[in-house]
Amino acid sequence: MNIQKHLPILLIILIALSIGTGQVLAQDSGTEASQAALGSAFTYQGQLKDDNGDPITSACDLRFSLWDAGSAGTQIGGLSTILGVQVVDGYFTARVNEAGSFGGNAFNGESRWLEIAVRCPSGSGEYTTLTRQEIMAAPYAAYAQHVNDGIGSGLDADTVDGLHASELGTHYQNVIVVAKSGSDYTSVQAAIDSITDAAADNAYLVWVAPGIYTETVTMKSYVHLQGAGQEATVISSTITSDWPPDQATLVLASDTSLRDLTVVNSGTAVASGVAVLATSGVTRTLVVDVTARALGHSLSNFAIFLDGSGTSITLQQVTALAENGIDSNFGLFNRNGAAAALQGGTFTGRGGSNAWGIYNVDSDTALEARDAVALGENGSSTSFGLYNYDGGETTLRGGSFTGRGGTQAIGVQSTFTSTLTAGGIIALAESGSDNYGLSNYNGGTATVHDATITARGGTNNYALSNETNVTLEAKNVTTLAENGSNNNYGLWNKDNAQATLLGGSFTAYGGTNAYGVYNNGSGTTLETESMTALGENGSSENAGLHNYAAIAVLHGGSFTARGGASAYGIYDALIGDTTTVTLMADNVSALGEDGSTNNYGLFHFSAVAVLHGGSFTARGGDSAIGISNSGSYSGRLEAESVTAMGENGSSNYGLYNDPSTTTTAESSQFTGSNNGLYQNGGTVSLGVCQLDGNATRSSGTLTCFQVYDGSYVAYTCP
């Protein structure tokens, strides 16, 4: 394992120390230096690679120690240990000396070296000790050396950095200061352009004092750009360009970093306005604690635009906002083979026709996000938290993704042969006409686990949608679709869609119809294990599972419908096909209750169903039927070791069989206060079954073998 110093000149640029009895002076946005006590901690950024030179992605333990020599020497103070540091694509940030473990006099102006020991993954094995790194001077630390010697007294705000005051008689190598006055340069770009010898072993820092700098900036490799803080240092322009945009307020370069400032684009031309841009081949670039805003009245606004094969950018705790674009607004746009790694941060698109928090598009384009927040809202047409499109690959670890308002609001969508892997996320769509919490659409592949997914309000809600030639695996996912005026779906699985559900709960509530799971269309299959589905309070129809012209294979789990006119624990139908097994269920629990007219544990219509074990219960309403086998076509139902009961309705049946249908039941129990079995035609065969409530046969063929009643007395079927 080896660690590479990613930002050699920035190693302790954020260092904050108490030197002797004095306090470090911090520069503010006013005209005078003000007293501000800075804590003992400093920030260290690095890149961690394994023995093969591949960047590490893992939670790691880091142990820092301070020394007075590059080798051997004497350790200064104690150890600073940080456990569980998140390393993504090799990059990490750690706050060192948080509790002052190096001692109050650790940084006294003498040379110091930092030794790092690493253990990956966190909590495993022994630490690996890496080569020590010399701690170089930084503006705050350099000024602190003179706080008590009288040299620094009387310096004005233009020289408070301590680097360029003639009184000091010193100038630190490879550090250039930009300020409105009294500095090396007054222009950020002029400062960058002045550097001609930047290299991997000769990196530069351009530090930008507080103020608004109206200009465009193009960075250089190995030249790191740092401001005095977000909203303190602002770089602003109105530049725009045609599609694809090739100009921006700030253009990134390879092997560099951008941090602690705000970048703004307020262009108004009918073109694209971009705050931060990376073009093809820009790689090994880190953006930390930066705000990017594109907010002019241009055609489309992009807070951050990453473009091109070979482009690889890490965005850490970035705030991105795009709004006011006439057509579209994008917090982050990642395209054409670029790779983006997000560590925290917020990405917002607002207004226009289309609003996108994050947009990831094109084959070989990759997005990896940990604990990011994405919001698309108030687009008149569409509002997306995250959109993964046309071959894009997206991996989400935690975070929240929200779409709000417009004709369509979508928390997360992956579509057109794109791949989505998401764990521990929150996805929300609300206040659109149609709302999709998470949508896997038109050739997409999605793997989702331990997620909370919600669609709310509007006309139709699809909490989790899997539609048109797609594949979905969902494990321990919780969905809720509620309060759409028309239809609400916990899961919508449709049109040659393949869905595998392992655990989890799927709930639909309110509207005209509420379906916990809706499985529909030719070639569509659903396989579940130990899941829970609930549809309730739709005014017309409610179903735990609605399976129509599709195949459902259920292993355990519960399916409940409640309220409305009709309630179906499970609804299964395939009109006109009497050979295809549409439903296979073992040891499931199905309940339909409180429908004012009809309640069914299982409603099976003109299809083939095979049941092994499980209970099917209907309760309340005009009629309560545990299992109904019905239809004008010759559907078939096979049941073994099942329990079916109808209760508390005006009419109650355990098993109801219609003309043209066939039911075969073995080792099963059918209970109803009116009839355990009501045969209205067709063919019924019962073997070793209990009928509690007797049997009525109005027509059809009934065959009984060792059938007994609720008192366990042999019963002769009519």
Side-chain angles (χ1 to χ4, degrees), residues 502-561:
L502 307 174
S505 65
F506 301 81
T507 301
Y509 183 90
T512 302
N513 303 299
Y515 304 98
V517 174
Y518 191 93
N519 195 50
N520 178 274
S522 176
T524 298
T525 62
L526 170 72
E527 184 168 356
T528 74
E529 183 174 334
S530 303
M531 60 156 288
T532 300
L534 169 64
E536 66 176 339
N537 291 347
S539 60
S540 177
E541 185 173 288
N542 297 282
L545 166 64
H546 190 285
N547 187 51
Y548 184 83
I551 296 173
V553 180
L554 315 177
H555 305 285
S558 65
F559 303 84
T560 302

Side-chain angles (χ1 to χ4, degrees), residues 122-152:
S122 177
S124 65
E126 301 295 327
Y127 282 89
T128 298
T129 301
L130 309 174
T131 304
R132 294 179 191 175
Q133 299 175 12
E134 186 176 5
I135 298 179
M136 307 301 293
Y140 289 151
Y143 184 82
Q145 294 176 19
H146 301 282
V147 168
N148 292 320
D149 62 10
I151 297 177

Side-chain angles (χ1 to χ4, degrees), residues 96-119:
V96 183
N97 199 33
E98 187 78 61
S101 52
F102 293 160
N105 197 38
F107 299 98
N108 59 5
E110 297 178 358
S111 296
R112 293 288 183 261
W113 281 261
L114 195 65
E115 182 176 281
I116 308 170
V118 181
R119 180 172 63 183

Side-chain angles (χ1 to χ4, degrees), residues 27 37 52 69 108 124 167-168 268 278 299 326 338 343 359 374 431 472 484 497 504 545 558 581 591 644 676 680:
Q27 188 170 3
N52 296 322
N108 59 5
S124 65
E167 294 95 333
L168 294 179
T268 58
L299 181 64
I326 298 168
Q343 302 173 28
Y359 193 106
S431 303
L472 167 71
L545 166 64
S558 65
V581 178
L591 168 65
N680 191 34

Side-chain angles (χ1 to χ4, degrees), residues 385-410:
L386 182 146
Y387 188 58
N388 187 43
Y389 175 67
D390 201 16
E393 298 181 6
T394 293
T395 301
L396 307 177
R397 297 180 175 91
S400 66
F401 304 86
T402 302
R404 181 178 296 128
T407 303
Q408 276 192 343
I410 302 179

Side-chain angles (χ1 to χ4, degrees), residues 441-521:
Y441 179 66
N442 201 3
T445 300
T447 303
V448 185
H449 66 89
D450 301 295
T452 300
I453 305 171
T454 304
R456 179 184 297 135
T459 303
N460 298 296
N461 288 312
Y462 309 80
L464 177 54
S465 174
N466 192 52
E467 182 177 2
T468 310
N469 305 317
V470 290
T471 301
L472 167 71
E473 181 175 315
K475 182 177 181 180
N476 298 329
V477 169
T478 299
T479 76
L480 171 63
E482 61 178 353
N483 299 334
S485 60
N486 192 9
N487 296 308
N488 295 283
Y489 305 90
L491 168 67
W492 169 267
N493 194 51
K494 189 174 185 295
D495 292 344
N496 198 34
Q498 320 299 314
T500 302
L501 311 179
L502 307 174
S505 65
F506 301 81
T507 301
Y509 183 90
T512 302
N513 303 299
Y515 304 98
V517 174
Y518 191 93
N519 195 50
N520 178 274

